[in-house]
Amino acid sequence: MESTTVTTDSGSFAVRIDGPESRHTVLLLPDAGQGADVFDAVCERLHNSDLRTVVPESLDGLNPDDVFAMLDHLALPWVHLAGAGAGAELAWAVASGRFGRFASLVVVDRGHPVVPMVDGTVRDASAPIAEVPTTIVVGDPTRMPEADASMRYVTGEFRVVDLGGIDDVPARAAAEFASAIALRTGSW
């Protein structure tokens, strides 16, 4: 595994880069308070699928502009994007309205930012649509209506994967999460 530090306008961020040299790279964004190691089992499976992975050590202080600066610094003009929890929210924020920068989007338990969450909160009422093939992996059954309602805010092919009550999907359903990501990297 290679570790590097990327400096942006907001600060410096440690990033793990691993996996085979490939034309497909996956940027994985962890939940707030979790480190990159939450994705270890997911990354292992993605590497076995001939995918390279990039994972920030922490989401602390990382904003959408930093994500783009990080990708530019790493010379990654086009990536697959995946996230869980706050990382999923950041993934939606960077993918929505940015046609051509991301090949796919896979998020866990978060719908599009304009869709009300379980408690009725709308994260961003002005968020643009996501013009990217998208999969929402649902571990928390209460998030299913949010996932289903997100379809109208995605112009790419859209899927919902229901895991039926698994909390902490990256840790407890690594195979399913990695499969959802790997399926998005194919051209079928």
Side-chain angles (χ1 to χ4, degrees):
M1 171 186 57
E2 175 188 344
S3 184
T4 189
T5 300
V6 175
T7 302
T8 70
D9 290 341
S10 298
S12 295
F13 301 95
V15 180
R16 292 183 186 182
I17 303 167
D18 205 356
E21 289 295 329
S22 172
R23 65 186 187 100
H24 293 285
T25 300
V26 180
L27 172 62
L28 293 148
L29 301 171
D31 197 357
Q34 291 186 323
D37 58 339
V38 72
F39 290 124
D40 284 353
V42 174
C43 288
E44 181 181 345
R45 291 175 180 277
L46 294 175
H47 301 159
N48 289 336
S49 295
D50 200 32
L51 301 170
R52 191 153 181 81
T53 57
V54 174
V55 186
E57 287 289 346
S58 170
L59 206 62
D60 295 340
L62 196 64
N63 64 49
D65 290 338
D66 295 326
V67 172
F68 291 108
M70 179 187 306
L71 294 174
D72 291 343
H73 177 85
L74 298 173
L76 295 170
W78 191 68
V79 298
H80 300 274
L81 182 60
E89 293 174 13
L90 181 58
W92 277 111
V94 298
S96 296
R98 307 241 175 28
F99 179 75
R101 185 72 195 249
F102 300 100
S104 67
L105 172 65
V106 179
V107 294
V108 175
D109 284 334
R110 294 296 189 275
H112 189 278
V114 303
V115 175
M117 295 188 302
V118 176
D119 65 1
T121 303
V122 173
R123 290 189 319 275
D124 183 358
S126 64
I129 60 171
E131 298 179 77
V132 61
T134 301
T135 299
I136 301 176
V137 178
V138 179
D140 177 354
T142 65
R143 295 277 190 169
M144 188 57 78
E146 181 183 344
D148 289 338
S150 296
M151 180 179 184
R152 65 188 212 195
Y153 300 102
V154 174
T155 60
E157 198 270 332
F158 181 80
R159 294 183 199 141
V160 174
V161 176
D162 182 0
L163 297 183
I166 294 179
D167 64 335
D168 197 6
V169 168
R172 297 192 57 222
E176 292 85 348
F177 188 42
S179 293
I181 296 166
L183 284 171
R184 282 289 173 207
T185 67
S187 58
W188 35 67

